[in-house]
Amino acid sequence: MQRLKEISRGIFEEEFGAKDSCLSYLSDLKWQDGYACKKCNETRYSKGKQAYSRRCKKCGYDESVTAHTMFHKLKFGIDKAFSILYELANTKKGANSIWLSERYDINQKTAWLFRSKVQTVMTSSKEHPLENQVHIDEFEIGTPQKGEQGRSKSEKKIRVVIAIEYRDGESGRGYAQVIDDFSANSLRGIFEDHISTDANVLADGWAGYKPLKEDYPNLKQILSDKGRNFIMLHNQIRNFKNWLRGVHSYCNHEYMNRYIEEYFFRFNRRNHRKSILHKLIDRMVNSCPLTFAEIQCVAI
Ligand SMILES: [Zn+2]
């Protein structure tokens, strides 16, 4: 099977503009390690009713190419789904559900649901902790509440902690997390999920980091010097905030982690653009389907 390469929109349309080519691609991906019936585990099959579906030779279960994947019960064509994935994998600006619903002529709730499913599969596996030099800091995002315009007194702050590898002044990989407060207990989460215990972590003078030195012996603190010691990190915080502002005028606390995961899924693959779309489709195929109700309460 040919892997998707970094491709222009034009070439993408040529390759995946037709439903058949998308289904063929999914079929190759879904059964790349061979076929086994989901009901009885039989490995012999014949052609099913729908294009690229497979029918078990023993029990007759006919499995479509999208069944048991995040494409299950898709309310629009698979070619549109691929096109949206292309957009979400490649465009730095991101795309919100209003834009997607207009661009692809689909209901906004449908667009929101699909986008949320994509965000779910973009969630980090937490298996590749940051290493070597890591800079860490916290920041706040003001989010006007739904139905309000601009800044208001009831604006709520969402607190976020961010850690990014520092490589000779440049940024490496990174992660961020919503936190309840700036206490050591809250800050500990990103360390446990995303930072190697022997990484050389650099934080500012905030007292909340001190207790973490027990488990992270290479954690050091220096004065921020009005941000001068954390220029790379602060640039990345600004980039993230700009992206968020461009995609969402307001953002619920509970969904903020999803936007963070989406952002860093792309950010951490910015130098591997050739494989990002393939990776995204692969994760969609290998994730269990989620319903609208489930998506609403999935806490990442
Ligand atoms: Zn079977």
Side-chain angles (χ1 to χ4, degrees):
M1 176 173 65
Q2 258 218 316
R3 287 197 154 212
L4 289 173
K5 301 231 166 80
E6 183 178 15
I7 43 180
S8 68
R9 187 38 113 161
I11 293 172
F12 172 81
E13 297 288 351
E14 246 171 63
E15 293 255 328
F16 295 100
K19 287 188 176 119
D20 191 77
S21 44
C22 301
L23 292 173
S24 161
Y25 191 82
L26 285 186
S27 168
D28 285 348
L29 208 49
K30 181 173 186 173
W31 289 300
Q32 59 185 326
D33 298 323
Y35 165 86
C37 173
K38 283 276 193 296
K39 304 281 178 197
C40 73
N41 228 23
E42 169 63 42
T43 54
R44 293 170 307 146
Y45 66 92
S46 54
K47 211 176 155 301
K49 273 186 189 164
Q50 295 167 301
Y52 297 96
S53 72
R54 295 186 180 188
R55 192 170 186 278
C56 173
K57 281 215 166 172
K58 198 170 166 191
C59 75
Y61 175 60
D62 192 341
E63 186 180 336
S64 77
V65 84
T66 53
H68 310 285
T69 78
M70 208 56 109
F71 293 106
H72 184 56
K73 288 194 174 168
L74 198 61
K75 289 203 172 105
F76 43 87
I78 192 72
D79 49 340
K80 269 189 191 178
F82 267 52
S83 187
I84 293 173
L85 289 173
Y86 176 88
E87 204 68 52
L88 294 177
N90 290 297
T91 50
K92 275 189 183 171
K93 274 184 141 184
N96 62 29
S97 56
I98 297 169
W99 185 87
L100 287 175
S101 90
E102 283 170 7
R103 165 80 171 75
Y104 292 96
D105 193 24
I106 48 179
N107 178 300
Q108 200 210 322
K109 187 177 160 188
T110 303
W112 182 87
L113 178 61
F114 186 70
R115 194 178 191 288
S116 300
K117 287 177 178 177
V118 179
Q119 284 180 324
T120 307
V121 306
M122 284 173 161
T123 305
S124 160
S125 65
K126 299 178 181 171
E127 283 170 4
H128 307 285
L130 304 178
E131 292 170 333
N132 302 316
Q133 308 291 324
V134 176
H135 286 190
I136 189 163
D137 202 1
E138 333 82 42
F139 62 94
E140 290 182 322
I141 299 168
T143 59
Q145 297 308 284
K146 198 171 187 176
E148 288 176 353
Q149 298 274 315
R151 296 181 71 87
S152 70
K153 278 180 187 165
S154 64
E155 181 177 89
K156 277 192 183 167
K157 296 279 188 195
I158 294 178
R159 299 181 180 94
V160 178
V161 58
I162 182 171
I164 294 188
E165 289 170 340
Y166 181 86
R167 297 176 186 163
D168 298 325
E170 303 288 322
S171 51
R173 295 173 305 131
Y175 294 104
Q177 270 182 4
V178 172
I179 46 177
D180 290 337
D181 51 44
F182 297 138
S183 69
N185 263 349
S186 295
L187 294 169
R188 185 178 289 278
I190 196 168
F191 278 82
E192 290 181 350
D193 287 345
H194 294 301
I195 301 176
S196 170
T197 45
D198 54 9
N200 296 305
V201 187
L202 193 66
D204 62 19
W206 172 241
Y209 291 105
K210 259 181 211 153
L212 298 168
K213 289 178 184 171
E214 250 180 59
D215 296 319
Y216 296 86
N218 300 327
L219 167 61
K220 291 203 166 53
Q221 290 183 271
I222 55 164
L223 289 177
S224 167
D225 192 17
K226 290 179 184 163
R228 276 188 273 268
N229 287 325
F230 293 91
I231 288 172
M232 175 282 292
L233 193 58
H234 289 169
N235 283 339
Q236 294 305 339
I237 292 172
R238 200 165 49 239
N239 289 346
F240 172 75
K241 283 182 170 178
N242 285 341
W243 172 79
L244 193 69
R245 224 171 276 135
V247 187
H248 302 279
S249 52
Y250 86 97
C251 183
N252 286 338
H253 187 139
E254 61 202 286
Y255 294 141
M256 180 61 81
N257 268 328
R258 289 187 190 172
Y259 297 109
I260 289 175
E261 294 288 346
E262 177 187 341
Y263 182 85
F264 283 98
F265 176 86
R266 254 190 315 268
F267 179 81
N268 289 339
R269 288 165 184 80
R270 65 198 184 283
N271 299 323
H272 306 279
R273 300 290 293 277
K274 283 183 178 175
S275 59
I276 187 166
L277 182 57
H278 175 83
K279 181 86 198 161
L280 192 54
I281 297 173
D282 186 49
R283 284 198 182 184
M284 292 290 286
V285 170
N286 289 301
S287 299
C288 293
L290 286 171
T291 63
F292 184 74
E294 284 165 338
I295 278 284
Q296 280 183 307
C297 62
V298 165
I300 290 171

mmCIF file of all heavy atoms in Angstrom, residues 2 23 33 65 84 92-93 109 116 146 153-154 157 167 202 210 222-223 226-228 237 269-271 297:
data_model
loop_
_atom_site.group_PDB
_atom_site.id
_atom_site.type_symbol
_atom_site.label_atom_id
_atom_site.label_comp_id
_atom_site.label_asym_id
_atom_site.label_seq_id
_atom_site.Cartn_x
_atom_site.Cartn_y
_atom_site.Cartn_z
ATOM 1 N N GLN A 2 0.468 2.181 -0.800
ATOM 2 C CA GLN A 2 1.226 3.436 -0.852
ATOM 3 C C GLN A 2 0.795 4.364 0.273
ATOM 4 O O GLN A 2 -0.380 4.561 0.512
ATOM 5 C CB GLN A 2 0.946 4.113 -2.192
ATOM 6 C CG GLN A 2 2.078 3.918 -3.172
ATOM 7 C CD GLN A 2 2.286 5.169 -3.966
ATOM 8 O OE1 GLN A 2 1.335 5.783 -4.412
ATOM 9 N NE2 GLN A 2 3.529 5.561 -4.133
ATOM 10 N N LEU A 23 -12.410 4.599 -0.043
ATOM 11 C CA LEU A 23 -12.795 3.307 0.542
ATOM 12 C C LEU A 23 -11.707 2.268 0.339
ATOM 13 O O LEU A 23 -11.414 1.463 1.229
ATOM 14 C CB LEU A 23 -14.117 2.819 -0.081
ATOM 15 C CG LEU A 23 -15.354 3.642 0.277
ATOM 16 C CD1 LEU A 23 -16.564 3.165 -0.532
ATOM 17 C CD2 LEU A 23 -15.670 3.566 1.769
ATOM 18 N N ASP A 33 -3.311 -6.160 8.444
ATOM 19 C CA ASP A 33 -2.724 -7.331 9.110
ATOM 20 C C ASP A 33 -3.561 -8.588 8.888
ATOM 21 O O ASP A 33 -3.424 -9.571 9.613
ATOM 22 C CB ASP A 33 -2.574 -7.060 10.616
ATOM 23 C CG ASP A 33 -1.644 -5.889 10.884
ATOM 24 O OD1 ASP A 33 -0.651 -5.767 10.141
ATOM 25 O OD2 ASP A 33 -1.920 -5.100 11.810
ATOM 26 N N VAL A 65 -16.403 -1.238 5.422
ATOM 27 C CA VAL A 65 -15.048 -0.760 5.641
ATOM 28 C C VAL A 65 -14.995 0.271 6.781
ATOM 29 O O VAL A 65 -13.974 0.468 7.425
ATOM 30 C CB VAL A 65 -14.478 -0.236 4.292
ATOM 31 C CG1 VAL A 65 -14.904 1.188 4.034
ATOM 32 C CG2 VAL A 65 -12.999 -0.401 4.196
ATOM 33 N N ILE A 84 -12.011 16.754 4.855
ATOM 34 C CA ILE A 84 -11.963 17.441 6.155
ATOM 35 C C ILE A 84 -10.700 17.027 6.924
ATOM 36 O O ILE A 84 -10.028 17.861 7.534
ATOM 37 C CB ILE A 84 -13.235 17.137 6.988
ATOM 38 C CG1 ILE A 84 -14.449 17.769 6.319
ATOM 39 C CG2 ILE A 84 -13.090 17.651 8.421
ATOM 40 C CD1 ILE A 84 -15.787 17.407 6.959
ATOM 41 N N LYS A 92 -2.586 25.070 9.274
ATOM 42 C CA LYS A 92 -2.152 25.603 10.560
ATOM 43 C C LYS A 92 -3.241 26.436 11.215
ATOM 44 O O LYS A 92 -3.310 26.549 12.426
ATOM 45 C CB LYS A 92 -0.930 26.499 10.344
ATOM 46 C CG LYS A 92 0.369 25.734 10.321
ATOM 47 C CD LYS A 92 1.484 26.728 10.329
ATOM 48 C CE LYS A 92 2.832 26.047 10.226
ATOM 49 N NZ LYS A 92 3.902 27.006 10.014
ATOM 50 N N LYS A 93 -4.075 27.038 10.399
ATOM 51 C CA LYS A 93 -5.088 27.930 10.936
ATOM 52 C C LYS A 93 -6.205 27.181 11.651
ATOM 53 O O LYS A 93 -6.915 27.751 12.450
ATOM 54 C CB LYS A 93 -5.706 28.760 9.800
ATOM 55 C CG LYS A 93 -4.926 30.018 9.483
ATOM 56 C CD LYS A 93 -5.647 30.816 8.449
ATOM 57 C CE LYS A 93 -5.563 32.293 8.739
ATOM 58 N NZ LYS A 93 -6.335 33.076 7.784
ATOM 59 N N LYS A 109 -23.987 20.748 13.506
ATOM 60 C CA LYS A 109 -23.856 19.760 14.586
ATOM 61 C C LYS A 109 -23.080 18.533 14.083
ATOM 62 O O LYS A 109 -22.239 17.970 14.791
ATOM 63 C CB LYS A 109 -25.253 19.353 15.069
ATOM 64 C CG LYS A 109 -25.247 18.476 16.288
ATOM 65 C CD LYS A 109 -26.686 18.176 16.737
ATOM 66 C CE LYS A 109 -26.713 16.940 17.608
ATOM 67 N NZ LYS A 109 -28.065 16.480 17.914
ATOM 68 N N SER A 116 -14.976 16.713 16.514
ATOM 69 C CA SER A 116 -14.670 16.236 17.863
ATOM 70 C C SER A 116 -14.093 14.828 17.836
ATOM 71 O O SER A 116 -13.207 14.494 18.619
ATOM 72 C CB SER A 116 -15.936 16.236 18.730
ATOM 73 O OG SER A 116 -16.445 17.538 18.810
ATOM 74 N N LYS A 146 -20.397 31.939 26.683
ATOM 75 C CA LYS A 146 -21.264 31.817 25.510
ATOM 76 C C LYS A 146 -22.309 32.931 25.493
ATOM 77 O O LYS A 146 -22.910 33.244 26.507
ATOM 78 C CB LYS A 146 -21.974 30.456 25.540
ATOM 79 C CG LYS A 146 -22.526 30.064 24.206
ATOM 80 C CD LYS A 146 -23.025 28.637 24.240
ATOM 81 C CE LYS A 146 -23.410 28.208 22.838
ATOM 82 N NZ LYS A 146 -23.806 26.818 22.774
ATOM 83 N N LYS A 153 -17.004 41.145 32.471
ATOM 84 C CA LYS A 153 -16.609 40.926 33.860
ATOM 85 C C LYS A 153 -16.659 39.450 34.234
ATOM 86 O O LYS A 153 -15.946 38.981 35.099
ATOM 87 C CB LYS A 153 -17.517 41.737 34.788
ATOM 88 C CG LYS A 153 -17.064 43.185 34.883
ATOM 89 C CD LYS A 153 -17.954 43.982 35.796
ATOM 90 C CE LYS A 153 -17.571 45.456 35.711
ATOM 91 N NZ LYS A 153 -18.609 46.308 36.280
ATOM 92 N N SER A 154 -17.570 38.719 33.571
ATOM 93 C CA SER A 154 -17.706 37.311 33.943
ATOM 94 C C SER A 154 -16.732 36.413 33.167
ATOM 95 O O SER A 154 -16.839 35.203 33.213
ATOM 96 C CB SER A 154 -19.129 36.837 33.706
ATOM 97 O OG SER A 154 -19.424 36.897 32.333
ATOM 98 N N LYS A 157 -11.142 32.528 33.440
ATOM 99 C CA LYS A 157 -9.776 32.214 33.032
ATOM 100 C C LYS A 157 -9.595 30.696 33.044
ATOM 101 O O LYS A 157 -9.990 30.034 33.992
ATOM 102 C CB LYS A 157 -8.777 32.840 34.008
ATOM 103 C CG LYS A 157 -8.814 34.365 34.032
ATOM 104 C CD LYS A 157 -8.025 34.935 32.888
ATOM 105 C CE LYS A 157 -7.912 36.448 33.038
ATOM 106 N NZ LYS A 157 -7.466 37.076 31.806
ATOM 107 N N ARG A 167 15.841 23.180 22.088
ATOM 108 C CA ARG A 167 17.005 22.679 21.341
ATOM 109 C C ARG A 167 17.739 23.836 20.688
ATOM 110 O O ARG A 167 17.345 24.311 19.624
ATOM 111 C CB ARG A 167 16.548 21.708 20.240
ATOM 112 C CG ARG A 167 15.861 20.471 20.791
ATOM 113 C CD ARG A 167 15.362 19.604 19.652
ATOM 114 N NE ARG A 167 14.584 18.476 20.144
ATOM 115 C CZ ARG A 167 13.773 17.756 19.386
ATOM 116 N NH1 ARG A 167 13.642 18.027 18.107
ATOM 117 N NH2 ARG A 167 13.104 16.747 19.909
ATOM 118 N N LEU A 202 13.491 23.176 32.991
ATOM 119 C CA LEU A 202 13.741 24.524 33.488
ATOM 120 C C LEU A 202 12.417 25.255 33.690
ATOM 121 O O LEU A 202 11.604 25.363 32.771
ATOM 122 C CB LEU A 202 14.605 25.296 32.475
ATOM 123 C CG LEU A 202 15.197 26.602 32.983
ATOM 124 C CD1 LEU A 202 16.220 26.352 34.095
ATOM 125 C CD2 LEU A 202 15.857 27.377 31.844
ATOM 126 N N LYS A 210 8.718 23.543 43.271
ATOM 127 C CA LYS A 210 9.702 23.037 44.242
ATOM 128 C C LYS A 210 9.477 21.584 44.676
ATOM 129 O O LYS A 210 10.399 20.767 44.609
ATOM 130 C CB LYS A 210 9.743 23.954 45.474
ATOM 131 C CG LYS A 210 10.932 24.896 45.426
ATOM 132 C CD LYS A 210 10.998 25.787 46.646
ATOM 133 C CE LYS A 210 11.642 27.109 46.216
ATOM 134 N NZ LYS A 210 11.229 28.223 47.038
ATOM 135 N N ILE A 222 14.948 29.129 37.477
ATOM 136 C CA ILE A 222 15.663 30.403 37.382
ATOM 137 C C ILE A 222 14.631 31.522 37.300
ATOM 138 O O ILE A 222 13.469 31.267 36.973
ATOM 139 C CB ILE A 222 16.585 30.492 36.126
ATOM 140 C CG1 ILE A 222 15.796 30.206 34.851
ATOM 141 C CG2 ILE A 222 17.788 29.593 36.260
ATOM 142 C CD1 ILE A 222 16.533 30.640 33.598
ATOM 143 N N LEU A 223 15.076 32.724 37.564
ATOM 144 C CA LEU A 223 14.146 33.841 37.451
ATOM 145 C C LEU A 223 13.781 34.035 35.987
ATOM 146 O O LEU A 223 14.609 33.870 35.092
ATOM 147 C CB LEU A 223 14.792 35.111 38.002
ATOM 148 C CG LEU A 223 14.961 35.133 39.526
ATOM 149 C CD1 LEU A 223 15.683 36.397 39.964
ATOM 150 C CD2 LEU A 223 13.604 35.026 40.225
ATOM 151 N N LYS A 226 11.520 38.788 33.387
ATOM 152 C CA LYS A 226 10.477 39.335 32.500
ATOM 153 C C LYS A 226 10.360 38.548 31.200
ATOM 154 O O LYS A 226 10.168 39.100 30.117
ATOM 155 C CB LYS A 226 10.745 40.803 32.206
ATOM 156 C CG LYS A 226 10.520 41.688 33.420
ATOM 157 C CD LYS A 226 10.807 43.128 33.106
ATOM 158 C CE LYS A 226 10.669 43.976 34.357
ATOM 159 N NZ LYS A 226 11.298 45.263 34.245
ATOM 160 N N GLY A 227 10.548 37.268 31.292
ATOM 161 C CA GLY A 227 10.368 36.401 30.123
ATOM 162 C C GLY A 227 11.616 36.197 29.293
ATOM 163 O O GLY A 227 11.644 35.367 28.393
ATOM 164 N N ARG A 228 12.689 36.958 29.615
ATOM 165 C CA ARG A 228 13.899 36.876 28.770
ATOM 166 C C ARG A 228 14.539 35.484 28.796
ATOM 167 O O ARG A 228 15.192 35.085 27.840
ATOM 168 C CB ARG A 228 14.923 37.932 29.194
ATOM 169 C CG ARG A 228 14.653 39.296 28.555
ATOM 170 C CD ARG A 228 15.780 40.270 28.839
ATOM 171 N NE ARG A 228 15.564 40.950 30.119
ATOM 172 C CZ ARG A 228 14.921 42.114 30.250
ATOM 173 N NH1 ARG A 228 14.446 42.728 29.182
ATOM 174 N NH2 ARG A 228 14.762 42.670 31.430
ATOM 175 N N ILE A 237 3.715 29.958 23.326
ATOM 176 C CA ILE A 237 2.442 30.247 24.010
ATOM 177 C C ILE A 237 1.635 31.230 23.163
ATOM 178 O O ILE A 237 0.439 31.073 22.965
ATOM 179 C CB ILE A 237 2.691 30.822 25.432
ATOM 180 C CG1 ILE A 237 3.289 29.744 26.338
ATOM 181 C CG2 ILE A 237 1.390 31.361 26.031
ATOM 182 C CD1 ILE A 237 3.747 30.246 27.706
ATOM 183 N N ARG A 269 4.224 17.131 14.783
ATOM 184 C CA ARG A 269 4.488 16.490 13.495
ATOM 185 C C ARG A 269 4.800 17.507 12.410
ATOM 186 O O ARG A 269 4.762 17.189 11.229
ATOM 187 C CB ARG A 269 3.276 15.644 13.089
ATOM 188 C CG ARG A 269 3.145 14.408 13.931
ATOM 189 C CD ARG A 269 1.787 13.732 13.822
ATOM 190 N NE ARG A 269 1.706 12.601 14.745
ATOM 191 C CZ ARG A 269 1.454 12.726 16.041
ATOM 192 N NH1 ARG A 269 1.233 13.908 16.558
ATOM 193 N NH2 ARG A 269 1.440 11.666 16.817
ATOM 194 N N ARG A 270 5.130 18.731 12.819
ATOM 195 C CA ARG A 270 5.338 19.783 11.824
ATOM 196 C C ARG A 270 6.549 19.492 10.944
ATOM 197 O O ARG A 270 6.649 20.011 9.844
ATOM 198 C CB ARG A 270 5.461 21.156 12.498
ATOM 199 C CG ARG A 270 6.678 21.320 13.399
ATOM 200 C CD ARG A 270 6.471 22.492 14.340
ATOM 201 N NE ARG A 270 7.647 22.767 15.177
ATOM 202 C CZ ARG A 270 7.988 22.048 16.248
ATOM 203 N NH1 ARG A 270 7.284 20.987 16.603
ATOM 204 N NH2 ARG A 270 9.047 22.398 16.949
ATOM 205 N N ASN A 271 7.477 18.664 11.446
ATOM 206 C CA ASN A 271 8.625 18.300 10.619
ATOM 207 C C ASN A 271 8.438 16.928 9.960
ATOM 208 O O ASN A 271 9.347 16.391 9.360
ATOM 209 C CB ASN A 271 9.898 18.297 11.462
ATOM 210 C CG ASN A 271 10.171 19.675 12.035
ATOM 211 O OD1 ASN A 271 9.930 20.680 11.373
ATOM 212 N ND2 ASN A 271 10.633 19.734 13.274
ATOM 213 N N CYS A 297 -19.348 13.784 26.544
ATOM 214 C CA CYS A 297 -18.852 13.600 27.904
ATOM 215 C C CYS A 297 -17.458 12.987 27.958
ATOM 216 O O CYS A 297 -16.969 12.651 29.029
ATOM 217 C CB CYS A 297 -19.833 12.805 28.744
ATOM 218 S SG CYS A 297 -20.120 11.169 28.120
#
